[in-house]
């Protein structure tokens, strides 16, 4: 069964350093989401892509976060510089291009710890 | 934007008992309501969902009910088993336009053997 892939699974960094996370959605899934999940809370959307275009980045802290999906397939989320409050699980999800069924498939996440 | 509230935050039941988790949403335009189960260190996995044209949906021991007028929906798990222990998240979205999900804060369910 196809799954969303993410790497790395764990990342420890010091504040003010740059970090990057990678997501490979299920093949054929045109819509890709990056969510942030703080411990003990539900995931919150950071950015949504439709193919290579950003359709919603209203909750993305653009002074330090950036995201791209250059070829409309895999995606990278970057934080520069990292702050202590960025410690969280970063989840990538994707959904199919066709149909209105909104099931989103999640990757295993990248757990970020900022020291 | 949408706001989803979820209760309780923790729930402990005896094996074989039923568990109920409740959520309310704020945006009357929301029409898709999934429930995800997240085991420790693992990805959220969809366990059941309901769309606004349906009032109830059941899948074996799991059922979801939706009250559009009151803007609340609930997850019901019957005959709970220890492997049901996990964090459960409700979510809401507008199905069209592939909108992102707005999640509740989660319920940690512990099923005691």
């Amino acid at each position: 069964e196809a799954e969303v892939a993410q790497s790395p699974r764990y990342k420890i960094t010091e504040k003010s350093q740059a970090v990057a996370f990678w997501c490979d959605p299920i093949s054929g899934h045109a819509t890709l989401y990056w969510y942030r999940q703080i411990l003990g809370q539900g995931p919150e959307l950071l950015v949504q892509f439709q193919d290579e275009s950003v359709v919603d980045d209203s909750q993305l802290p653009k002074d330090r976060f950036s995201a791209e999906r250059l070829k409309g397939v895999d995606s990278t989320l970057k934080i520069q510089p990292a702050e202590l409050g960025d410690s969280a699980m970063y989840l990538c999800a994707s959904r199919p291009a066709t149909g209105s069924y909104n099931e989103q498939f999640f990757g295993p996440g990248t757990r970020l710890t900022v020291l | 934007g949408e706001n989803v509230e979820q209760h309780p935050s923790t729930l402990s039941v005896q094996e074989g008992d039923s568990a109920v988790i409740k959520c309310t949403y704020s945006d009357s335009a929301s029409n898709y309501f999934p429930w995800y189960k997240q085991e420790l260190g693992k990805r959220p996995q969809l366990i059941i969902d309901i769309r606004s044209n349906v009032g109830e949906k059941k899948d074996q021991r799991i059922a979801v009910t939706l009250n559009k007028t009151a803007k609340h929906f609930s997850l019901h798990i019957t005959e709970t088993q220890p492997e049901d222990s996990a964090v459960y998240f409700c979510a809401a979205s507008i199905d069209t336009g592939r909108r992102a999900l707005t999640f509740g804060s989660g319920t940690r369910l512990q099923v005691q053997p």
Side-chain angles (χ1 to χ4, degrees):
Chain A
E1 183 176 330
E3 292 185 336
V4 176
Q6 288 187 249
S7 67
R9 294 292 311 278
Y10 304 93
K11 179 70 178 178
I12 300 175
T13 190
E14 293 186 346
K15 63 180 181 179
S16 80
Q17 295 299 303
V19 292
F21 313 133
W22 177 80
C23 171
D24 191 13
I26 295 172
S27 178
H29 283 197
T31 309
L32 184 148
Y33 310 85
W34 282 100
Y35 291 89
R36 177 169 60 185
Q37 185 177 23
I38 296 171
L39 191 63
Q41 300 181 19
E44 294 182 324
L45 179 73
L46 289 173
V47 61
Q48 176 183 345
F49 289 92
Q50 180 66 31
D51 298 309
E52 67 276 7
S53 300
V54 173
V55 296
D56 186 354
D57 63 356
S58 58
Q59 300 303 310
L60 188 72
K62 299 182 189 62
D63 57 335
R64 297 185 301 109
F65 286 64
S66 64
E68 60 183 17
R69 193 183 183 200
L70 294 176
K71 297 183 179 179
V73 181
D74 59 336
S75 175
T76 302
L77 178 69
K78 298 178 180 178
I79 308 175
Q80 182 173 15
E83 296 181 352
L84 296 177
D86 296 331
S87 294
M89 175 76 84
Y90 290 82
L91 291 162
C92 178
S94 68
R95 64 162 284 176
T98 57
S100 63
Y101 188 45
N102 200 13
E103 179 177 358
Q104 296 181 20
F105 298 82
F106 282 85
T110 295
R111 181 166 295 284
L112 173 66
T113 301
V114 182
L115 303 175
Chain B
E2 176 66 280
N3 182 52
V4 177
E5 295 191 355
Q6 182 171 349
H7 301 280
S9 57
T10 60
L11 180 59
S12 182
V13 299
Q14 292 295 123
E15 183 177 358
D17 287 350
S18 295
V20 180
I21 302 171
K22 299 182 179 182
C23 290
T24 60
Y25 62 98
S26 61
D27 190 346
S28 57
S30 290
N31 57 4
Y32 176 69
F33 308 92
W35 287 87
Y36 283 82
K37 176 183 180 182
Q38 188 175 30
E39 297 179 36
L40 189 62
K42 296 189 176 181
R43 72 190 73 198
Q45 298 233 332
L46 180 72
I47 56 171
I48 196 167
D49 55 18
I50 192 167
R51 302 176 75 174
S52 60
N53 57 350
V54 175
E56 184 174 359
K57 184 177 179 180
K58 189 173 182 179
D59 182 4
Q60 299 183 343
R61 298 185 297 108
I62 295 173
V64 58
T65 58
L66 171 65
N67 183 326
K68 286 173 52 181
T69 303
K71 289 192 278 189
H72 67 70
F73 55 113
S74 301
L75 177 72
H76 304 253
I77 306 174
T78 58
E79 301 172 19
T80 54
Q81 301 167 2
E83 51 265 39
D84 295 330
S85 296
V87 179
Y88 291 80
F89 292 97
C90 62
S93 78
I94 300 172
D95 203 17
T96 55
R98 301 179 177 83
R99 304 286 184 90
L101 298 171
T102 299
F103 286 86
S105 54
T107 296
R108 181 172 300 279
L109 174 64
Q110 182 69 42
V111 180
Q112 306 290 344

